[in-house]
Amino acid sequence: MNFNNVQFKTSFGRFDQIPKAERIEIAFSGRSNVGKSSLINKIFNRKQLAKVSQVPGKTVTINFFDFENIYIVDLPGYGYAKVSKGKKNRWANLIEGYLNDTTRKLNLIFQLIDMRHAPSKDDLQMIDFMIEKELPFVIVLTKSDKLKPTAKKLRMEAFKEEIPYFDDIEVIPCSAQTGEGIDKIKEIIEYAATL
Ligand code: GDP
């Protein structure tokens, strides 16, 4: 697959606006500010494909990107404390609608977690949900460049205790800054796109 061959397609603010699945989809999920946009931009060698923002939780949309014969799906970042209840509900409707839609050809979800911290309550809820619904997912630990090797090791040990079924889940430390883990993510995308 040519990772330069990607293009923004559409944003949806409500689940009922999303057309029925036509293609295989690979989604990115994570709390707002986890580094999701930066990671997507890094994978596809683009500066502004996904919007990197210093102000978390601004828009609540699902964004679709054309990538060869599949869609890359950027799920709205969750868990930003300062958003209104209305916005939280919109988020919940969108993401739950999307993830509960069993007609979709959702071949893989990249679940992003900030490598520096324990998973949030929302992160754990997402993981439990994906396990319960038997949705295929891998965990991407973001911003790995911010930790020194010893701290990294300690955090990995801690994740083992914090994340259920950790040993059965593929976990990829990565950095949009150093490029750690990016090749691995590309390999997984290529594999999931042909399942
Ligand atoms: P999003 O809200 O999940 O899309 O997160 P963004 O991609 O907008 O990133 C949030 C903040 O974290 C920005 O200030 C980014 O520059 C920073 N950031 C994202 N990824 C990395 C990374 O891999 N390393 C470092 N050091 N900073 C990062």
Side-chain angles (χ1 to χ4, degrees):
M1 295 176 104
N2 176 1
F3 283 82
N4 295 313
N5 192 9
V6 69
Q7 219 173 18
F8 174 76
K9 169 114 175 150
T10 337
S11 282
F12 302 103
R14 289 200 325 265
F15 172 67
D16 59 16
Q17 297 171 328
I18 304 176
K20 280 198 168 47
E22 316 151 29
R23 305 181 182 182
I24 287 170
E25 292 169 4
I26 295 178
F28 287 79
S29 154
R31 70 163 175 75
S32 91
N33 220 34
V34 70
K36 186 156 54 62
S37 309
S38 305
L39 183 76
I40 291 172
N41 291 337
K42 184 75 183 171
I43 294 167
F44 297 101
N45 312 311
R46 293 271 288 274
K47 281 211 170 82
Q48 286 251 29
L49 187 63
K51 294 261 158 29
V52 175
S53 153
Q54 301 287 348
V55 190
K58 249 176 42 189
T59 48
V60 184
T61 54
I62 289 191
N63 304 318
F64 279 59
F65 300 91
D66 268 323
F67 176 44
E68 306 222 334
N69 57 341
I70 70 165
Y71 285 131
I72 296 295
V73 180
D74 181 13
L75 297 175
Y78 54 77
Y80 185 54
K82 286 183 191 157
V83 303
S84 65
K85 215 170 173 184
K87 213 170 200 181
K88 276 185 187 158
N89 284 339
R90 276 221 306 285
W91 178 86
N93 288 342
L94 246 183
I95 202 150
E96 279 169 23
Y98 178 77
L99 292 176
N100 274 316
D101 180 359
T102 52
T103 67
R104 306 212 80 79
K105 302 175 199 167
L106 182 53
N107 275 12
L108 187 69
I109 301 162
F110 286 101
Q111 174 60 41
L112 276 52
I113 293 175
D114 191 321
M115 187 162 194
R116 295 169 298 169
H117 311 295
S120 69
K121 212 173 106 201
D122 292 318
D123 292 333
L124 291 172
Q125 237 173 43
M126 264 301 296
I127 291 168
D128 284 340
F129 181 87
M130 292 186 294
I131 290 171
E132 190 191 308
K133 300 279 174 186
E134 298 184 5
L135 291 165
F137 72 97
V138 300
I139 290 179
V140 173
L141 301 172
T142 62
K143 308 189 189 183
S144 69
D145 60 281
K146 291 205 177 194
L147 290 177
K148 296 208 170 78
T150 316
K152 230 166 148 175
K153 229 171 154 180
L154 284 172
R155 202 81 267 309
M156 284 304 274
E157 292 300 314
F159 279 128
K160 265 186 203 175
E161 306 300 319
E162 293 156 354
I163 296 174
Y165 304 103
F166 185 85
D167 289 333
D168 299 324
I169 302 171
E170 169 121 41
V171 178
I172 310 155
C174 89
S175 164
Q177 221 154 74
T178 64
E180 183 185 1
I182 301 297
D183 284 343
K184 181 80 194 164
I185 291 173
K186 288 183 181 177
E187 255 174 50
I188 293 173
I189 290 175
E190 294 203 317
Y191 176 70
T194 52
L195 281 180

